[in-house]
Amino acid sequence: MDSTTSKAYTHDEEVRKLYEEMENQIKAEKERILNEEKEKERKIKAEMSQEITQKEEQLQELLRRQADLEKKIEDLNVTQEGIAAENEELAKVNDDLQCRLEDTNMNLHESKQYLKELQDKSIREKRERAAAALRVTEGIARERESLVKQLDLLRDMNKKLRDEKDMHDAARQATKERRRPGKPSRRQRGKMQ
């Protein structure tokens, strides 16, 4: 193997190794980003689900307490007039609970809306990551195509150099054969005459 062939082969190996390293790096980076995003999304969903569950439990407790108070108010309304003051106090408590219930409902609605926004954001980010990954892949494909073209050019140049070398070797061999002893050259024949 002459030096030109060796250089071409070395270049081929370097191009192949470089392409493999690029593919491995891109694959590892995509997997790392995807894993990080999945873990982040899982944590957010778990936290939001826990918060919604707590809000719903609070809502159910408030509803139960409100029902209890309403029942007490109803029972007290049929009792003696002497407990009117107590009814008034219970009504105030009921109003307070009603306000708290409305606040809890509002917070629950906001939490559900926030969770939906997070889910929509996650979907958009996944699409953006997919588009970015596609652009990276297309860039690699273009670079690979360019490298393949360069490799083909180097192979053509290498073949041309080998052909020229073969022609040169053949011409040199032919010259040696013409100058063998017993076959005087044209200049030697001229001197003999």
Side-chain angles (χ1 to χ4, degrees):
M1 183 182 295
D2 55 30
S3 62
T4 304
T5 302
S6 177
K7 289 180 179 179
Y9 176 79
T10 301
H11 183 268
D12 289 352
E13 286 296 308
E14 290 177 350
V15 169
R16 183 183 63 79
K17 289 180 179 179
L18 178 61
Y19 178 71
E20 289 179 354
E21 289 176 359
M22 289 172 59
E23 285 187 328
N24 291 334
Q25 290 177 359
I26 291 172
K27 182 179 180 181
E29 184 64 16
K30 286 170 63 179
E31 291 179 352
R32 184 186 67 79
I33 292 174
L34 183 60
N35 289 334
E36 287 180 355
E37 291 299 324
K38 284 183 177 179
E39 181 62 19
K40 185 189 298 182
E41 182 179 350
R42 185 191 66 77
K43 288 182 178 179
I44 291 174
K45 285 183 177 180
E47 291 173 357
M48 293 304 300
S49 296
Q50 183 178 2
E51 183 176 350
I52 289 173
T53 299
Q54 292 175 350
K55 295 292 184 181
E56 289 176 342
E57 291 175 353
Q58 292 176 5
L59 176 61
Q60 292 300 321
E61 177 63 16
L62 288 173
L63 287 172
R64 186 188 63 77
R65 292 178 64 184
Q66 182 182 12
D68 292 340
L69 286 172
E70 287 176 347
K71 187 175 183 305
K72 288 181 179 179
I73 291 173
E74 183 178 353
D75 293 338
L76 289 171
N77 284 336
V78 296
T79 60
Q80 300 176 1
E81 293 180 358
I83 60 174
E86 184 178 355
N87 285 345
E88 184 178 356
E89 183 64 23
L90 288 173
K92 291 180 180 179
V93 173
N94 184 60
D95 290 339
D96 180 65
L97 287 173
Q98 185 65 34
C99 292
R100 292 174 61 186
L101 177 62
E102 291 175 358
D103 290 340
T104 302
N105 280 329
M106 184 178 297
N107 290 336
L108 180 61
H109 175 73
E110 290 175 354
S111 297
K112 289 181 177 179
Q113 185 65 27
Y114 181 62
L115 180 59
K116 184 179 182 301
E117 291 174 358
L118 285 177
Q119 291 173 340
D120 293 341
K121 181 180 178 182
S122 176
I123 292 173
R124 289 196 302 271
E125 289 176 350
K126 284 181 180 179
R127 290 175 179 172
E128 291 172 359
R129 289 196 300 271
L134 179 60
R135 289 194 296 270
V136 171
T137 302
E138 290 174 349
I140 291 175
R142 287 194 296 269
E143 185 171 353
R144 180 181 182 182
E145 182 179 355
S146 174
L147 292 173
V148 169
K149 288 181 180 179
Q150 294 179 22
L151 179 60
D152 291 339
L153 179 61
L154 288 174
R155 287 174 176 168
D156 291 340
M157 293 175 61
N158 186 35
K159 184 177 181 301
K160 182 178 179 181
L161 290 173
R162 287 199 301 267
D163 292 342
E164 290 176 357
K165 182 178 181 299
D166 292 340
M167 291 175 61
H168 178 71
D169 292 341
R172 185 169 55 186
Q173 185 64 31
T175 302
K176 287 181 179 180
E177 290 179 357
R178 285 198 301 270
R179 294 182 178 178
R180 286 180 180 175
K183 292 184 179 181
S185 64
R186 185 181 298 175
R187 182 181 297 177
Q188 289 174 340
R189 289 199 299 269
K191 289 181 179 181
M192 290 170 62
Q193 294 176 356

